[in-house]
Amino acid sequence: MIHLAKRVILQTLNDKRSVMMIFIAPLFALTLIYFLLGDSDYTATVGINKNTMPAPLVTELKAQDLKVIYVSNDDFQHPKQYLKDHLDVDAIFTISENASVNIIMYEPSKKSAKALSEIQKALSSLNPSAKINMSYVYGAQDNSTFESLGYVFLGLFAFLLVFIISGMALVRERSGGTLERLMMTPIKRGEVILGYTLGYGVFAIIQAILIVFYSFYVLNLHSIGNIGWIVVAMVLLAITAVSFGAMISVFSTSELQVVQLIPFTIIPQVFFSGLIPLDLIPYHLGNLCYLMPVFYGVEAIKRVMVYGGGFLQIWGYLFGLIGYTFILYILNTLALKKFRKL
C-alpha cells in the first residue's frame, strides 16, 4: 500500500499539468474571482432636472456615492430615449407634481442597482415612506434570473459543450494514431484543420439551432429582435469553439490533459461572458473580455435579444468571431508541423 501511494505521488509530481491543476488552478480561479467580484469603485451617474427637483434632495443626492448631472427640460420629457443616447447615465430621477418618485433605468443590472441604492439612501433621510416607481428602457423589474441572463446561458452552452467534445475527440484520434497516419498522406495541414472544423462544425450548428429553438419555444425565453441573428451568432460561436478545442488538443496528449487546461482556458471565458458587468470590474480588468471569444458571441446575442438590434448592431461582434476563428486556424495549422515537417 505504501509503495503504491509513493508511486502515485511520484507520477503526479512528474506530471506538470497535474501539479498545476492541483496547486495553481485553484489559486488562479480564486484570484480571478477576487478581482472580478471584489469591491468596485464604480460611481453611478444619475440625471435630474434642477428646476423640478427640491434643493434639499439635490443636496442629499450629491452627498451620496453618486455623480449627479443636470438634464435639460427637453431631454427630461423623453427619459428613455435620453438613456439610449447616453449610455454613461445609469438612471433618470424625477419627482412628479403629485410627489410621485420615478426612477427610470437602462436595464436591470448591478449598475442600475447601485444607482437605485444611492437614490434610496438620499430619499430615506428626507422622506423614508416615499413610494418609488421603477421602470427600465429594456427589461422589466419582475424578470426572472433566467430571463435576465438568458443570453449569457445561450452563449456559454453553445461554446463550452462543443469545446469539450471537439477537444476530447481530437485528442482521442491522436492517441489512437489516426492523426499520425493521416499526416503521412499528401493532405495539407490546413486541409486537416478545415476537415476537422467542418466535421465537428456540422454538429455544432445543429446544437446551436436546437438550443435556440428549445429556449424560445419550450422554455419561453423572449427576444425583442429576430432570433435568426441569434442563431447566426451562436453558430459562429460554436464553430469558434471547435477551433478553440482543436488548439487545446494539439498541445494535449490525453483527455486528462484537456481537462487539466479547462481552469485556464474556460473559467476566464465564463467570468467575462457577461455574468458580471464588465465596467464594474476594478483595475480595468474588464478590457480582458476582448481576448475571450465567448464575449463576442454573448454580446451579439444580447444586442439582438435584449436591445432588439439587427445586423448593423452586431456585425462587429460577428466579424470578431470570424477573425478569432481565422487566427485559431492559422495557429492550429502551424502547430501541426510537429507531426509532419512539410
Side-chain angles (χ1 to χ4, degrees):
M1 180 181 68
I2 299 299
H3 292 293
L4 178 59
K6 288 182 178 179
R7 183 169 64 83
V8 171
I9 293 172
L10 291 176
Q11 286 179 344
T12 304
L13 292 177
N14 289 329
D15 186 352
K16 296 181 180 179
R17 289 185 177 88
S18 293
V19 173
M20 292 182 63
M21 183 74 172
I22 296 171
F23 299 113
I24 305 300
L27 303 182
F28 172 75
L30 287 172
T31 302
L32 192 59
I33 293 173
Y34 168 78
F35 283 117
L36 299 182
L37 300 182
D39 293 335
S40 173
D41 57 355
Y42 180 77
T43 300
T45 301
V46 176
I48 64 173
N49 188 302
K50 191 175 182 179
N51 297 326
T52 60
M53 187 68 61
L57 185 52
V58 174
T59 302
E60 287 296 328
L61 287 171
K62 291 182 177 180
Q64 306 303 319
D65 187 18
L66 282 175
K67 179 182 178 182
V68 179
I69 63 172
Y70 297 113
V71 180
S72 66
N73 291 327
D74 292 337
D75 290 329
F76 218 66
Q77 300 302 318
H78 306 91
K80 291 189 175 182
Q81 185 59 47
Y82 180 84
L83 289 174
K84 289 182 182 180
D85 298 335
H86 299 80
L87 297 180
D88 57 324
V89 179
D90 299 302
I92 295 294
F93 180 31
T94 68
I95 296 181
S96 60
E97 295 180 355
N98 60 357
S100 176
V101 177
N102 304 289
I103 302 176
I104 303 97
M105 292 165 282
Y106 190 69
E107 62 181 334
S109 67
K110 287 187 177 180
K111 294 171 60 178
S112 299
K114 170 79 171 178
L116 177 62
S117 174
E118 298 299 328
I119 293 175
Q120 288 176 326
K121 289 179 184 178
L123 281 172
S124 63
S125 61
L126 298 177
N127 186 5
S129 61
K131 182 181 178 182
I132 301 176
N133 300 314
M134 293 183 295
S135 61
Y136 298 93
V137 178
Y138 298 105
Q141 184 179 356
D142 57 351
N143 278 356
S144 66
T145 302
F146 180 71
E147 291 173 324
S148 299
L149 296 176
Y151 61 91
V152 178
F153 300 134
L154 290 178
L156 284 178
F157 282 123
F159 184 88
L160 298 182
L161 299 179
V162 173
F163 163 81
I164 294 174
I165 292 173
S166 62
M168 292 289 191
L170 290 173
V171 169
R172 194 178 304 116
E173 291 210 359
R174 284 182 52 200
S175 61
T178 305
L179 181 60
E180 284 75 5
R181 290 192 295 270
L182 183 63
M183 296 302 292
M184 294 174 64
T185 67
I187 190 172
K188 297 180 180 179
R189 296 192 306 270
E191 293 175 345
V192 173
I193 297 300
L194 282 177
Y196 280 123
T197 302
L198 290 175
Y200 290 108
V202 170
F203 296 100
I205 292 171
I206 296 174
Q207 183 213 58
I209 296 174
L210 179 63
I211 290 175
V212 169
F213 280 88
Y214 183 80
S215 299
F216 285 99
Y217 295 106
V218 178
L219 302 182
N220 294 320
L221 198 62
H222 301 290
S223 173
I224 298 178
N226 191 326
I227 65 172
W229 288 118
I230 297 178
V231 173
V232 170
M234 289 190 61
V235 166
L236 289 177
L237 183 59
I239 293 175
T240 304
V242 173
S243 300
F244 202 79
M247 185 188 70
I248 297 301
S249 68
V250 168
F251 298 99
S252 305
T253 58
S254 66
E255 291 92 336
L256 176 61
Q257 291 185 358
V258 174
V259 174
Q260 290 171 337
L261 289 172
I262 286 179
F264 303 99
T265 56
I266 296 302
I267 290 180
Q269 305 274 352
V270 175
F271 286 128
F272 288 95
S273 63
L275 287 174
I276 304 170
L278 298 175
D279 44 7
L280 289 184
I281 299 175
Y283 310 113
H284 302 287
L285 291 178
N287 293 324
L288 294 176
C289 66
Y290 298 108
L291 301 177
M292 314 294 172
V294 168
F295 164 76
Y296 296 96
V298 169
E299 192 64 25
I301 295 171
K302 179 181 180 180
R303 290 183 179 271
V304 175
M305 181 176 161
V306 179
Y307 301 154
F311 178 75
L312 293 179
Q313 286 72 39
I314 66 172
W315 70 267
Y317 301 103
L318 298 183
F319 279 98
L321 288 173
I322 294 173
Y324 215 109
T325 303
F326 179 75
I327 292 173
L328 290 174
Y329 166 76
I330 298 298
L331 294 177
N332 289 331
T333 302
L334 294 175
L336 285 183
K337 284 184 177 181
K338 69 178 181 178
F339 298 100
R340 182 177 69 185
K341 303 292 183 180
L342 287 180

